[in-house]
Amino acid sequence: MPRLLYGNFDFEHHLTGAGAPSPDSKLGRINAELTPALIALADAEDYLWCPAPFDESHLNDLTAAGMPRPRLVTAGESLPPDLSLVPWGWSDVALKLATRTGAAVEHPPLEVVKQANCRRVAHQLETRWNCGLDGAAEICHLDELARVIEQSANFSLGWVLKARFGMSGRERHLGSGVEVETPTINWAKKRLARDGAVLFEPWVQRIDEAGLQFEIPRDGEPQLLGITPQLCDATGHYRGSRLTISAAAATAWQPAVDVGRRLAAHLQQTGYFGPLGIDAMRYCDQQGEIRIRPLQDINARLTMGRLALGFRRCLLAGEAGAWLHFPFQPVEGSEDSPWEHIRRRLPADCRIIPTSPATIGGQPPKLMHLIVAAPTESALANVERLFV
């Protein structure tokens, strides 16, 4: 059955009880700018729901690289009756779209989806399975905040507060020291009132991160689809995913994969089925020992790493590749497109394939993304340093 791909990238926002954002809001713009990337999952007979029209010229590069070209549709267009909805994540907003379009749905209970994506549940599993960060804590009352933060004197790199739901660096508050300042109190007070709890985590010395991509069927054993090493900046914000992984790196992540299989089986028992992406991290602890945090973030939905797996179709045999995200920076005084400017910065044996349009809703995107293909892993690493 053909599919209707729907990019509700503000999925965690829906889980807090908020409705769909307006198209001109920050979240609405994020949805519009990331929607073209769903082509990574598409087959030729699929449809892509577009909240805003975009310049389709970059699709020529993608199809030339071997990607299919789904039909792009916007609100008000007629759709065939035999489509099945594939959202970024299952929520009431996704189900409303299915009702409006007549698309078929097969989804786990929404309460199960909500619990699977809740950081409180992740913290409880980390505690039960003894695989979390030393010093991590759940805060359910404002008067607990000062007591927990006072203990952060043991963590010289600072700390972070996280809301129960959030993604890609959103819904978090960074801090350092043992003083509870007014912005921290105000941030925590708002989330406690809305969600009932926030999570405290010490900031640690990150070595690297990876996304573990699973698919959980209704019945049968969950399947590992792949491991996508993540590229993050110094503040932990996502800046891309590797499309390829060396045998040595895959072996290094095997302990996290083992815990991931355990998590996938656990979620299946709760009634969840569908995509599962787990963010795992290797880090140095206070004693300088290398450790793995296998359940850094649990995403019972599609993920950027899952899209990265789809973009592997663009690579030639033997190439190393990465899907990179970076802020749009117009080149003053230049008539070249941003893509031409980037091509000139790369070695001749590397190539790029744009995955974001030049304009969305008549405006250049604030965040652009592209595939870089390089002849070797070392050449790719040199290119990544230009963006991350």
Side-chain angles (χ1 to χ4, degrees):
M1 177 184 290
R3 300 171 300 168
L4 175 61
L5 305 177
Y6 171 48
N8 56 330
F9 294 92
D10 54 343
F11 164 71
E12 281 82 359
H13 177 72
H14 302 166
L15 297 183
T16 66
S22 62
D24 57 352
S25 67
K26 181 178 179 179
L27 287 176
R29 186 66 184 176
I30 289 172
N31 283 348
E33 292 189 359
L34 289 177
T35 284
L38 288 177
I39 288 172
L41 303 177
D43 294 323
E45 68 272 16
D46 291 336
Y47 290 69
L48 178 61
W49 180 267
C50 302
F54 59 79
D55 175 11
E56 299 180 32
S57 59
H58 76 291
L59 297 181
N60 297 328
D61 289 329
L62 281 169
T63 53
M67 295 296 293
R69 190 162 184 159
R71 178 178 171 183
L72 311 182
V73 295
T74 56
E77 291 190 53
S78 59
L79 291 168
D82 59 343
L83 294 180
S84 63
L85 183 66
V86 178
W88 183 252
W90 285 109
S91 68
D92 56 346
V93 172
L95 295 184
K96 288 176 182 176
L97 178 67
T99 299
R100 293 204 312 271
T101 60
V105 296
E106 184 179 7
H107 65 90
L110 294 189
E111 187 58 34
V112 169
V113 175
K114 183 174 181 178
Q115 290 302 309
N117 286 279
C118 181
R119 285 181 172 138
R120 181 183 195 183
V121 173
H123 174 69
Q124 292 171 343
L125 290 175
E126 284 189 310
T127 301
R128 188 188 312 167
W129 296 346
N130 192 30
C131 62
L133 294 177
D134 294 337
E138 182 182 34
I139 298 171
C140 298
H141 304 285
L142 195 61
D143 56 9
E144 297 175 358
L145 186 63
R147 176 180 58 79
V148 171
I149 290 180
E150 282 175 4
Q151 299 173 359
S152 69
N154 299 323
F155 306 111
S156 58
L157 298 180
W159 44 264
V160 59
L161 295 176
K162 295 181 178 180
R164 280 189 175 178
F165 301 101
M167 66 165 288
S168 189
R170 298 196 293 269
E171 285 297 300
R172 70 175 190 175
H173 177 81
L174 299 177
S176 61
V178 298
E179 297 295 327
V180 185
E181 299 178 347
T182 300
T184 300
I185 294 174
N186 292 340
W187 187 94
K189 186 183 295 184
K190 181 178 179 180
R191 274 71 183 179
L192 287 170
R194 184 189 68 191
D195 302 333
V198 298
L199 279 302
F200 169 90
E201 295 177 4
W203 199 262
V204 295
Q205 184 179 345
R206 176 173 54 90
I207 299 173
D208 53 8
E209 298 178 57
L212 315 180
Q213 312 304 327
F214 287 90
E215 182 68 24
I216 303 177
R218 276 184 180 270
D219 301 296
E221 185 177 351
Q223 298 298 312
L224 175 70
L225 303 181
I227 303 172
T228 50
Q230 292 182 357
L231 303 169
C232 300
D233 62 21
T235 62
H237 282 93
Y238 175 80
R239 289 292 177 255
S241 293
R242 288 264 180 96
L243 307 186
T244 49
I245 184 170
S246 67
T251 299
W253 287 113
Q254 188 57 48
V257 170
D258 294 340
V259 178
R261 292 189 188 279
R262 184 179 182 184
L263 172 67
H266 168 79
L267 293 181
Q268 187 183 51
Q269 291 173 359
T270 69
Y272 179 76
F273 60 91
L276 170 66
I278 308 170
D279 295 343
M281 175 178 61
R282 291 197 309 159
Y283 66 98
C284 284
D285 64 15
Q286 294 289 100
Q287 291 72 42
E289 297 292 327
I290 296 178
R291 298 177 60 182
I292 291 182
R293 186 186 185 191
L295 303 180
Q296 176 166 259
D297 269 313
I298 298 172
N299 305 297
R301 54 166 171 77
L302 294 171
T303 64
M304 294 297 175
R306 185 67 171 264
L307 300 188
L309 291 183
F311 282 131
R312 284 180 176 176
R313 290 179 281 181
C314 292
L315 298 181
L316 303 177
E319 281 187 321
W323 184 40
L324 304 178
H325 296 230
F326 54 94
F328 171 69
Q329 295 179 334
V331 182
E332 187 175 351
S334 174
E335 296 182 358
D336 289 340
S337 72
W339 307 123
E340 289 304 318
H341 177 68
I342 291 169
R343 282 189 179 97
R344 287 200 300 271
R345 296 168 61 193
L346 301 183
D349 56 359
C350 294
R351 60 192 182 97
I352 67 168
I353 305 166
T355 58
S356 64
T359 60
I360 299 176
Q363 303 176 30
K366 293 183 179 180
L367 184 71
M368 304 188 80
H369 37 89
L370 58 78
I371 296 167
V372 174
T376 64
E377 290 284 347
S378 60
L380 179 64
N382 290 333
V383 171
E384 290 168 352
R385 295 187 188 99
L386 299 175
F387 296 92
V388 182

